[in-house]
Amino acid sequence: MYQKSPISIMFLTLLALATTLLPSLVQSQTTRVGFYSSSCPKAESIVTQTVQKHFTSAPSIAPGLLRMHFHDCFVQGCDASVLLDGANTEKTAGPNRGLRGWEVIDDAKTQLEAACPGVVSCADILALAARDSVVLTKGINWKVPTGRLDGRVSLASETNNLPGFRDSIEVQKTKFQAFGLNTQDLVTLVGGHTIGTSACQFFRYRLFNFTTTGNGADPTINPSFVPQLRALCPQDGDAAKRVDLDTGSAAQFDATFFTNLRNGRGILESDQKLWTDASTKSFVQRFLGVRGLQALNFNVEFGRSMVKMSTIGLKSADKGEIRRICSAIN
């Protein structure tokens, strides 16, 4: 009878061990701060400088990049699937047609490919650019864990996961909880609306014939604010006209967004509901430093929730890649 040698037994043992560990290794894709410190030391500075350059000439790219990262993470995970071109990709879906900043990501990717070919993922560029956008609008700076891989799947049909402007708080919480984000994360991340604008088409219905009583507007809107909004968005006016989401402070990343909610000056119905629903109102109050409640620093909590969100759906090596061009799979 054939007897296995010690060497063959050792080989078979190692092979069995490798076979056992491989699935867990494939599934254990993680991120860490400084991932590119050796492979591409200038990666983060290249992204920062690129965002700064574009921001100087077009400040509106800051909220655009922030929202792009958010929209990316809520569909297929934080894998840059929102950047892919093609028929019926995420980019073509209604919620993503108003996003801005595609050219910023492409510019940064071109520079990174010249400096470190095939090293830095588009998903990481987007995560870094979102952070840089907050910093440029006077918000907090936080350390972004990197090491994501780019996904190969992008479907417009999956954008239903994105929170909608008419969503109830319960629906919003359900969508966030599906990705491990709690109610505080929800309120915090929606606070990103402190910068940027919305088109009239997404809230004008709140201004006319919303009710059959009073002034006809959504009763959660401060009555003194209704004429101002109607002047900006007439009933038969341009549906694409942009209006600041954080009245009086749309260019600065701060907590005045929550002050506006308290004062009935939220633009989107889903935003204003953060104040009218008891389960979220307490967090708004804590961001405002209401006496008797433990205060929360909005900027600090925003950085924490962004890091938490940025770990959604990290791609494993068998399902991800480092794209050479952000708008197309390799």
Side-chain angles (χ1 to χ4, degrees):
M1 186 177 182
Y2 174 72
Q3 297 293 321
K4 294 184 177 70
S5 70
I7 293 178
S8 64
I9 292 174
M10 182 180 295
F11 174 76
L12 290 171
T13 301
L14 290 173
L15 181 61
L17 181 62
T19 303
T20 301
L21 290 177
L22 185 57
S24 63
L25 289 173
V26 167
Q27 296 171 2
S28 62
Q29 178 71 23
T30 58
T31 55
R32 60 181 171 84
V33 173
F35 183 85
Y36 299 112
S37 58
S38 297
S39 58
C40 192
K42 295 184 178 180
E44 296 199 22
S45 62
I46 288 174
V47 175
T48 296
Q49 290 166 11
T50 303
V51 175
Q52 287 176 333
K53 178 182 69 175
H54 286 269
F55 177 80
T56 299
S57 58
S60 62
I61 62 100
L65 291 169
L66 179 59
R67 269 170 218 135
M68 192 185 295
H69 179 46
F70 179 89
H71 284 214
D72 180 44
C73 290
F74 266 64
V75 184
Q76 287 284 333
C78 307
D79 67 346
S81 54
V82 73
L83 301 176
L84 289 171
D85 285 337
N88 302 315
T89 59
E90 293 170 37
K91 188 184 284 190
T92 68
N96 292 331
R97 289 177 194 157
L99 293 179
R100 296 197 58 188
W102 315 102
E103 71 282 4
V104 183
I105 304 300
D106 290 339
D107 187 358
K109 181 61 171 174
T110 298
Q111 295 180 58
L112 287 165
E113 284 299 300
C116 318
V119 173
V120 182
S121 69
C122 300
D124 280 343
I125 296 173
L126 188 46
L128 292 165
R131 185 272 313 274
D132 294 337
S133 296
V134 171
V135 174
L136 286 168
T137 49
K138 311 304 181 185
I140 194 172
N141 193 345
W142 68 89
K143 295 188 178 192
V144 177
T146 46
R148 298 167 190 78
L149 292 175
D150 299 322
R152 302 189 183 100
V153 177
S154 182
L155 300 171
S157 59
E158 294 186 351
T159 58
N160 291 331
N161 292 335
L162 291 167
F165 57 91
R166 291 194 187 205
D167 283 352
S168 67
I169 292 300
E170 286 307 309
V171 169
Q172 292 183 62
K173 288 196 290 189
T174 297
K175 290 180 176 180
F176 276 71
Q177 287 168 357
F179 298 110
L181 300 171
N182 59 33
T183 303
Q184 180 175 323
D185 295 317
L186 160 62
V187 178
T188 304
L189 292 171
V190 171
H193 286 169
T194 182
I195 56 174
T197 61
S198 171
C200 288
Q201 62 183 313
F202 298 123
F203 68 90
R204 185 165 54 189
Y205 68 92
R206 300 180 67 206
L207 308 178
F208 305 94
N209 304 315
F210 189 88
T211 65
T212 57
T213 60
N215 60 13
D218 181 342
T220 65
I221 303 176
N222 188 318
S224 67
F225 191 41
V226 172
Q228 181 179 336
L229 291 179
R230 285 177 172 170
L232 291 169
C233 295
Q235 193 163 11
D236 298 320
D238 181 5
K241 182 179 178 181
R242 310 296 298 188
V243 174
D244 291 345
L245 283 167
D246 186 6
T247 304
S249 184
Q252 185 162 323
F253 201 93
D254 55 28
T256 60
F257 170 76
F258 299 110
T259 301
N260 277 323
L261 297 187
R262 181 182 60 190
N263 296 335
R265 297 169 71 88
I267 301 299
L268 300 181
E269 184 179 5
S270 56
D271 288 355
Q272 188 59 51
K273 285 174 178 174
L274 295 179
W275 179 256
T276 58
D277 188 285
S279 66
T280 50
K281 180 177 181 178
S282 61
F283 290 105
V284 176
Q285 291 174 315
R286 291 173 70 183
F287 284 135
L288 294 174
V290 172
R291 185 175 298 177
L293 296 175
Q294 183 179 359
L296 288 171
N297 183 301
F298 169 57
N299 264 277
V300 171
E301 296 304 325
F302 190 83
R304 289 174 179 167
S305 289
M306 284 291 285
V307 170
K308 188 175 177 181
M309 182 189 76
S310 73
T311 64
I312 294 174
L314 298 181
K315 293 296 180 285
S316 54
D318 63 327
K319 294 183 179 179
E321 63 185 13
I322 304 294
R323 289 186 211 141
R324 289 186 290 273
I325 299 174
C326 288
S327 58
I329 61 175
N330 294 340

